[in-house]
Structure formats: C-alpha cells, structure tokens
Amino acid sequence: MNSKNNLKKVVVLGTGGTIAGTASNASDNIGYTAAQVGVAQLLEAVPGLSAVLQGHALVSEQVAQMDSKDMRFDIWLALAQRVVQHLSQPDVTGLVITHGTDTLEETAYFLYVVLPAELLKTKPVVLTCAMRPASSLNPDGPQNLMDAVAVALTAGAHGVVAVCAGTVHTALDIQKAHTYKPDAFTSGDAGVLAYVEEGQVRLLRNWPMANRHQSVPSLEVAARTTVWPRVEIVMNYVGCDGAVVDALLGYAHATAPLRGLVVAGTGNGTIHKDLEAALRRALQAGVKVVRSSRCANGPVLPAAHCEFAHSEGLSPVKARVALMLDLIGR
Ligand code: ASP
C-alpha cells in the first residue's frame, strides 16, 4: 500500500481481471492471461491521472489477483471488509475497485447488499474493468480507471456503481451484455446512471439508494459463514423435463444440501410443466425456489397463485446472490 498523509484520499483496490491481464502479442485481445499486473502498476500506466485527482492522494491495495470467472465467497468477504475499513476513514472520499468483467455484476450487487447503508449514503464505491488486456495495442483499462476515479471524486456521488466505456451503471441494474466489445455492459430498462465525458460526470438520474432488501445479514454474520448455502440456477427451455432439479436434489442430499434454486424462466418467468413439477418436489424438500427470467430486460411480474417467490426484478445471477444472503441471514 502506498499513501500520502494529510491529504484527502481515493483508494483503489485491485482484484485482477482483464484490466490487469497480459498477452504475449499486443494484437491479441482474447488469448491473454487475466490478473497479471498489480494495481499500483496499472495506476502508474494511466497518463494524466493527477488531473482528475483534484489534489487527492491515491492509495492502492491488492486485495486479490484473479480472473473473475473464478471469483469466490472468501474473496468477496475480504473485499467487502477492506471497503468498509477504507471508507470508514474520514479522509477517504471514495473508493475504486478493479475487477474482471465476467462476474462484475455479481460482485457489485453483493457489495450493494452487504455494505453498511450509512457508508453508502455518502460515499461511492466504483467498480471498473476492461475488455482488453493491459498489453493490448489499444487497451481500454487506463481510460476506464481514469473515469472511475473521476466518478469516485464527483461531488455527491454515493452508492455502488460501475464504470465501463464512459458509462456509469448502478450495481442493481448492471449486466454484462456483450462477449467482446469494450462497451460490454447495459443497464437494461432502467437506463444508465451517467456518462463520463472528459473527466466530467453527466448524471442522468439520481445516485443509487441504499439496498432495499430487508433480510440481509450483516457483514459480520456473512463473514462467520464458513459454508455458504448451496443455491443453483436452472433454466427453462424447450424439452426441459426437470431432471436437473431431481439430480441436484439427489446430489445435494449426498453431499452439500441444496438450499435454494433460482429458475431462469422463459418470458415472464414461465416454466415448463415438467420442470415446474420438479421445482414443486424441491419446495416440498425444503428448498427455496425463486422465479426469474432468462430475458435480459424486464422484471418478472408476480403471478397470482404462483407458489414460487419472484425475483423482484433481479437477473438470475443476482437473484441467486440475494437468495444466498437471505438464507445466511435467517
Ligand atoms: N475473464 C475476465 C475476468 O472476468 C474477463 C474480463 O475481465 O473482461 O476476469
């Protein structure tokens, strides 16, 4: 960690991802290894960063160094604890996290749920990333980092947000929507929160409110959870017969108990009758079932007489995080 005393600070926590990736060939934007370059070195490679720092000192810390496809619950907890530690300091104005794009939306949502609302009411946590490795001919990471710092230091900024390709998304709405393009994320129906233009944030709607969910475990309770509840995602599709659910019930019975299932239904959360029958068997076995949709846009509207909980507008992966935390909090 490096720091300068007596100055207001912006903290950058590194976790790896493509933004820290390198390839042996500069023109190779897919055959790279993620999480190779340390966060301090990434910051040094951003020309003109001092212009957006507005006299703030930059403090960096490497919390993890990984490809986010391999993200783990213990890293999530360590990250959340470091965020709380830093943001609780009166001289820290805002915090940036570098992260892989693949699971960024899940980490953002997790932080949004577990970080103390008191902290998020006044200070921003800004995740950022890159779709091209640091070694690329035309890397997107440096600009994204600079934009993320600009967002973190914007007056009034607060809550968990993410910045990619000059666009700011809330933790609640962000979804990775493209496999390759630098502008890989969408906020769906909700629309983006803001754009970053030449270091200035053009806000389109209000900074996000703190988490609206009630049954949330405190970070301390989550940190004491050694084995997270097993919650799996199953999808509805043509010919879906629910065998996956029965297999999960059998497997989980033999090993780690299945505690929850999120079903990524078709359309407005519709479910093949045979999958539905299997999900009912899961309910009877004490498994929580949450209905979401495989559609990228639109919430699942609650249906009358449906025995499954609905995802309250969350995508399947975020509904899974919510259900795990809900089970931990019980
Ligand atoms: N697999 C990488 C990761 O999520 C992809 C990226 O960062 O764009 O860490």
Side-chain angles (χ1 to χ4, degrees):
M1 189 192 291
N2 53 59
S3 70
K4 287 177 197 145
N5 293 328
N6 307 323
L7 285 177
K8 287 277 201 184
K9 298 180 177 82
V10 56
V11 176
V12 184
L13 303 181
T15 71
T18 295
I19 191 168
T22 54
S24 48
N25 179 344
S27 61
D28 188 351
N29 286 318
I30 55 169
Y32 60 87
T33 309
Q36 301 299 299
V37 184
V39 64
Q41 205 182 324
L42 289 180
L43 289 165
E44 276 159 24
V46 184
L49 192 56
S50 54
V52 292
L53 277 172
Q54 305 166 28
H56 282 68
L58 203 53
V59 175
S60 67
E61 182 182 334
Q62 197 76 46
V63 175
Q65 186 62 304
M66 66 193 312
D67 189 317
S68 82
K69 72 178 176 56
D70 301 321
M71 187 49 72
R72 305 190 313 254
F73 303 134
D74 60 324
I75 306 280
W76 267 5
L77 290 168
L79 180 63
Q81 285 164 340
R82 294 312 293 148
V83 172
V84 170
Q85 169 67 29
H86 285 293
L87 278 194
S88 308
Q89 307 306 313
D91 60 351
V92 171
T93 304
L95 187 139
V96 170
I97 299 170
T98 59
H99 196 288
T101 59
D102 287 347
T103 58
L104 184 146
E105 69 212 59
E106 289 169 69
T107 299
Y109 180 74
F110 166 74
L111 293 173
Y112 159 77
V113 175
V114 302
L115 291 176
E118 279 315 301
L119 282 181
L120 293 182
K121 265 188 215 156
T122 52
K123 294 188 182 183
V125 173
V126 185
L127 288 99
T128 196
C129 56
M131 288 294 286
R132 294 178 182 152
S135 58
S136 169
L137 280 177
N138 187 11
D140 50 336
Q143 181 71 56
N144 286 346
L145 249 180
M146 181 130 112
D147 289 348
V149 171
V151 171
L153 292 177
T154 295
H158 61 89
V160 183
V161 300
V163 180
C164 183
T167 309
V168 190
H169 307 266
T170 69
L172 199 53
D173 299 313
I174 189 167
Q175 256 187 303
K176 188 169 179 183
H178 203 282
T179 54
Y180 182 71
K181 286 198 228 165
D183 191 1
F185 291 92
T186 173
S187 285
D189 281 354
V192 306
L193 176 67
Y195 293 109
V196 189
E197 295 155 344
E198 301 298 308
Q200 298 300 311
V201 174
R202 177 160 61 93
L203 201 59
L204 302 183
R205 50 195 181 94
N206 293 333
W207 292 100
M209 308 281 284
N211 170 38
R212 66 207 161 122
H213 296 284
Q214 299 304 312
S215 58
V216 171
S218 67
L219 196 47
E220 292 73 31
V221 170
R224 281 201 299 273
T225 307
T226 41
V227 181
W228 280 43
R230 175 184 291 277
V231 176
E232 302 289 350
I233 299 173
V234 294
M235 190 186 268
N236 191 46
Y237 37 76
V238 171
C240 186
D241 65 0
V244 166
V245 172
D246 290 325
L248 275 170
L249 284 170
Y251 167 78
H253 186 67
T255 57
L258 183 68
R259 302 281 310 281
L261 280 171
V262 173
V263 54
T266 27
N268 186 33
T270 56
I271 305 169
H272 189 294
K273 60 183 174 32
D274 294 340
L275 175 60
E276 195 169 350
L279 291 170
R280 250 183 235 121
R281 289 194 284 281
L283 265 189
Q284 277 154 15
V287 173
K288 301 264 171 227
V289 179
V290 171
R291 200 166 61 99
S292 64
S293 175
R294 69 181 208 182
C295 290
N297 287 303
V300 168
L301 301 171
H305 315 304
C306 179
E307 64 262 64
F308 309 131
H310 72 91
S311 62
E312 298 180 22
L314 296 175
S315 64
V317 290
K318 288 182 186 173
R320 174 176 174 266
V321 176
L323 182 51
M324 283 190 296
L325 290 170
D326 185 49
L327 288 165
I328 287 173
R330 274 160 202 272

